[in-house]
């Protein structure tokens, strides 16, 4: 739907009040009833219905009367609510031309009061080109029900958080200014998408910079998941800027290696086709070493060390679980140990701690288990015999408990049936039969006269 901000000039306070009322009603209604909108808006003299007609005319609302009479917000109405809030905050004062269209968002130019031009990104999940959001993105998490406006709001919130954190840690990303609902305002990148660039002065340097960004993100616990030529901006000085962050996941995600390898492959494939790079010679000239790379010169996910920070923990990225958080806490406190140590190293460590007098009960038990396996086998056989006898006794006890439970269940069913019969009888007590309810209709008619004659003949 085309964003026509000219309509925004002619909307009154009552119009925005009704739009906000519909937004509040959509928290627990897919289609908000008209009576509920009127109660929330509280306009005088029944003005809500007149305002609804005006908003429907401008396509800010959608009317649905299939089940009951109600309305829901359209993306255009949601855009106007977000833009109105941004203008009231003083983030920008004018909306310009559209500079980008994607499968999940639209991007517009906006201007501040001092003339500074910014970029406004409006998330629009639910388009025909990208509707597999529930399986491709993790916005819902544990939720089962959703609507597209709410998902767009979650995507904008997530992108703003990632952009702020990456900017703080020195990554080349746009400057995040403000966000509201499904709208994110950021600095305008002075450059072009890499997909539009046909020639570079130093393609080897640009290629190595982009691969280095993928590795640096992984070292801080994040994977972009959509790192390709469409989401990389480059300026005239061949300076790189990353964009589009809602789909980022943690390196602890179950598909993290697949996403990482896919990002690397996208970059390799593009530079091979567009600039005819020979990657082995390029990597040897620039890097001088093959550490952390496979035979084709691509970075290996398993060789990356997380030594630069835990951004996935700070941002609660997808795939970062509570177990990962506990491991990080132990690492920070200095008590975490790597799981790659051999069994012999663990035994030597426990012996050293035992000599120092700092071994706890669990460590001493480990030493005793390593010293004698034969005595442990004998004890286990004795315990097995004892457990077999106890299992028989438990089985008999369980049978008795099952019988008692069945008897209690039968009594419960009887009592419930009795209560149900009483309830049905009480409900039918004050009712009349169909014949009794219809008897009053026959007063003085031919049928009643014939019945009286039949009674007199029968008495004779």
């Amino acid at each position: 739907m085309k964003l026509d901000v000219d309509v925004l000039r002619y909307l009154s306070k009552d119009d925005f009040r009704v739009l906000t009322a519909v937004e509040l009603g959509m928290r627990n209604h897919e289609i908000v009833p008209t009576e509920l909108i009127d109660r929330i808006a509280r306009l005088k003299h029944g003005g809500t219905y007149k305002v609804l007609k005006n908003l429907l005319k401008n396509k800010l609302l959608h009317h649905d009367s299939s089940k009951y009479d109600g309305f829901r917000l359209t993306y255009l109405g949601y855009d106007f609510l977000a833009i109105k809030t941004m203008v009231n905050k003083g983030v920008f004062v004018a909306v310009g031309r559209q500079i980008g269209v994607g499968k999940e968002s639209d991007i517009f130019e906006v201007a501040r009061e001092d003339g500074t031009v910014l970029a406004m990104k409006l998330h629009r999940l639910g388009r025909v080109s990208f509707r597999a959001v529930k399986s491709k993105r993790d916005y819902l998490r544990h939720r089962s029900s959703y609507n597209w406006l709410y998902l767009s709001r979650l995507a904008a919130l997530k992108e703003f958080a990632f952009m702020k954190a990456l900017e703080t840690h020195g990554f080349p990303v746009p400057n995040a200014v403000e966000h509201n609902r499904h709208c994110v305002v950021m600095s305008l990148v002075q450059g072009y998408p890499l997909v539009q660039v046909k020639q570079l002065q130093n393609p080897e340097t640009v290629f190595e910079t982009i691969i280095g960004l993928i590795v640096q993100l992984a070292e801080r616990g994040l994977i972009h998941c959509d790192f390709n030529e469409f989401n990389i901006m480059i300026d005239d000085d061949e300076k790189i800027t990353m964009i589009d962050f809602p789909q980022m996941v943690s390196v602890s995600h179950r598909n993290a290696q697949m996403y990482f390898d896919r990002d690397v492959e996208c970059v390799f494939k593009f530079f091979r086709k567009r600039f005819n790079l020979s990657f082995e010679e390029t990597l040897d000239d620039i890097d001088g070493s093959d550490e952390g790379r496979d035979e084709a010169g691509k970075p290996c996910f398993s060789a990356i060390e997380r030594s630069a920070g835990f951004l996935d923990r700070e941002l609660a990225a997808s795939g970062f679980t509570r177990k990962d958080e506990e491991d990080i806490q132990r690492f920070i406190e200095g008590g975490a140990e790597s799981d790659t140590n051999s069994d012999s190293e663990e035994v030597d460590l426990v012996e050293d701690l035992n000599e120092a007098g700092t071994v706890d009960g669990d460590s001493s038990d480990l030493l005793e288990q390593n010293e004698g396996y034969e005595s442990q086998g004998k004890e286990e056989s004795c315990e097995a015999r004892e457990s077999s006898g106890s299992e028989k006794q438990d089985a008999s006890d369980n049978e008795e408990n099952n019988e008692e439970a069945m008897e209690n269940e039968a009594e419960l069913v009887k009592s419930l049936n009795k209560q149900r019969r009483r309830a049905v009888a009480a409900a039918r007590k004050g009712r009349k039969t169909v014949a009794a309810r219809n008897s009053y209709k026959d007063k003085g008619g031919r049928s009643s006269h014939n019945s009286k004659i039949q009674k007199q003949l029968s008495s004779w």
Side-chain angles (χ1 to χ4, degrees):
M1 185 177 293
K2 184 179 179 181
L3 178 62
D4 185 9
V5 292
D6 292 336
V7 180
L8 191 63
R9 302 176 182 176
Y10 307 105
L11 294 181
S12 62
K13 292 183 179 179
D14 291 345
D15 294 330
F16 282 104
R17 191 177 183 89
V18 173
L19 280 177
T20 307
V22 178
E23 181 187 16
L24 293 175
M26 288 184 69
R27 291 183 177 180
N28 49 12
H29 290 81
E30 184 178 358
I31 303 296
V32 187
T34 309
E35 295 80 5
L36 181 60
I37 298 173
D38 187 31
R39 288 201 301 269
I40 297 176
R42 293 182 179 179
L43 296 183
K44 296 180 179 179
H45 309 299
T48 303
Y49 299 94
K50 182 179 179 181
V51 172
L52 287 172
K53 184 178 179 181
N54 183 37
L55 296 176
L56 187 62
K57 177 183 176 182
N58 292 316
K59 298 182 180 180
L60 304 183
L61 295 177
H62 174 75
H63 179 249
D64 191 339
S65 59
S66 57
K67 295 182 179 179
Y68 54 86
D69 190 56
F71 295 84
R72 65 171 174 84
L73 274 175
T74 62
Y75 263 118
L76 189 57
Y78 209 46
D79 294 343
F80 279 14
L81 285 173
I83 292 173
K84 180 66 174 177
T85 305
M86 291 288 191
V87 172
N88 292 339
K89 288 183 177 180
V91 179
F92 56 81
V93 295
V95 179
R97 63 187 179 93
Q98 186 173 359
I99 59 176
V101 180
K103 65 180 184 298
E104 299 179 65
S105 61
D106 292 338
I107 303 174
F108 296 85
E109 285 184 346
V110 293
R112 282 186 164 178
E113 193 172 1
D114 58 356
T116 305
V117 180
L118 303 174
M120 177 182 66
K121 185 174 183 179
L122 299 173
H123 289 260
R124 300 194 188 281
L125 276 75
R127 285 177 166 168
V128 178
S129 60
F130 188 67
R131 290 204 169 186
V133 178
K134 191 172 182 181
S135 59
K136 302 290 185 183
R137 301 286 187 264
D138 67 325
Y139 305 142
L140 285 176
R141 295 186 182 271
H142 60 277
R143 307 174 186 88
S144 57
S145 61
Y146 62 95
N147 61 46
W148 296 118
L149 297 181
Y150 182 64
L151 285 181
S152 299
R153 175 181 173 274
L154 293 179
L157 180 64
K158 187 173 181 180
E159 180 168 27
F160 184 80
F162 277 114
M163 206 183 305
K164 274 286 187 184
L166 292 175
E167 182 186 3
T168 304
H169 286 78
F171 283 91
V173 297
N175 178 26
V177 178
E178 187 61 72
H179 79 97
N180 182 267
R181 294 178 175 88
H182 67 314
C183 171
V184 179
V185 179
M186 65 191 81
S187 61
L188 183 64
V189 179
Q190 301 297 331
Y192 318 94
L194 187 59
V195 68
Q196 298 178 3
V197 178
K198 304 298 182 183
Q199 188 176 0
L200 290 174
Q201 295 180 356
N202 300 304
E204 296 86 0
T205 306
V206 175
F207 168 75
E208 188 64 24
T209 302
I210 295 173
I211 294 297
L213 288 175
I214 297 176
V215 175
Q216 291 173 22
L217 283 173
E219 290 175 349
R220 287 166 173 80
L222 293 174
I223 299 176
H224 191 281
C225 297
D226 198 14
F227 204 80
N228 51 44
E229 61 272 17
F230 298 95
N231 293 326
I232 299 173
M233 304 291 291
I234 186 169
D235 60 7
D236 295 333
D237 297 331
E238 296 187 353
K239 183 181 178 181
I240 298 298
T241 304
M242 298 186 298
I243 59 173
D244 195 14
F245 310 102
Q247 69 283 335
M248 295 185 77
V249 301
S250 168
V251 292
S252 303
H253 194 277
R254 58 182 180 180
N255 297 325
Q257 184 171 357
M258 184 268 290
Y259 291 137
F260 179 84
D261 294 340
R262 187 178 68 179
D263 288 349
V264 173
E265 180 62 27
C266 285
V267 176
F268 269 73
K269 186 177 179 180
F270 175 76
F271 275 86
R272 185 187 302 115
K273 287 186 175 182
R274 182 65 59 88
F275 305 108
N276 298 321
L277 282 186
S278 176
F279 299 112
E280 296 180 357
E281 297 178 359
T282 302
L283 294 173
D284 290 340
D285 294 340
I286 297 178
D287 205 357
S289 64
D290 294 334
E291 294 182 1
R293 299 182 184 269
D294 57 10
E295 296 178 355
K298 299 178 182 178
C300 295
F301 179 76
S302 58
I304 295 176
E305 298 180 358
R306 295 185 56 181
S307 58
F310 301 97
L311 280 178
D312 53 345
R313 177 199 172 199
E314 296 177 11
L315 301 170
S318 176
F320 186 82
T321 60
R322 183 173 296 179
K323 181 179 180 298
D324 299 327
E325 185 174 0
E326 293 175 355
D327 294 341
I328 290 174
Q329 287 294 340
R330 288 200 299 270
F331 178 80
I332 293 174
E333 293 171 359
E337 299 177 2
S338 62
D339 295 334
T340 58
N341 292 335
S342 62
D343 295 336
S344 60
E345 290 176 352
E346 290 180 356
V347 173
D348 294 339
L349 179 61
V350 172
E351 290 177 354
D352 295 338
L353 292 174
N354 193 13
E355 293 177 359
T358 59
V359 179
D360 54 2
D362 296 336
S363 302
S364 60
D365 291 340
L366 275 174
L367 286 175
E368 292 175 358
Q369 290 175 5
N370 292 328
E371 288 175 357
Y373 290 101
E374 296 179 358
S375 60
Q376 183 179 2
K378 294 180 181 179
E379 292 175 359
E380 288 179 354
S381 62
C382 295
E383 291 177 357
R385 293 174 184 173
E386 294 176 358
S387 62
S388 62
S390 61
E391 286 176 358
K392 293 179 181 179
Q393 186 176 359
D394 293 339
S396 60
D397 294 338
N398 290 333
E399 290 178 358
E400 294 178 358
N401 294 332
N402 290 333
E403 292 177 357
E404 293 178 358
M406 291 175 66
E407 292 177 358
N408 294 333
E409 185 176 357
E411 293 177 359
L412 180 60
V413 170
K414 288 180 181 179
S415 62
L416 290 175
N417 290 332
K418 191 174 180 180
Q419 293 177 5
R420 183 177 61 82
R421 287 195 295 271
R422 287 179 180 177
V424 172
R428 292 178 178 176
K429 187 175 182 181
R431 294 184 181 179
K432 296 180 180 180
T433 61
V434 176
R437 291 200 300 268
N438 294 333
S439 60
Y440 73 94
K441 296 180 180 179
D442 205 4
K443 295 180 180 179
R446 182 176 296 176
S447 59
S448 62
H449 181 67
N450 293 335
S451 62
K452 290 179 182 179
I453 294 173
Q454 288 177 3
K455 287 181 182 180
Q456 291 176 4
L457 291 175
S458 61
S459 62
W460 291 344

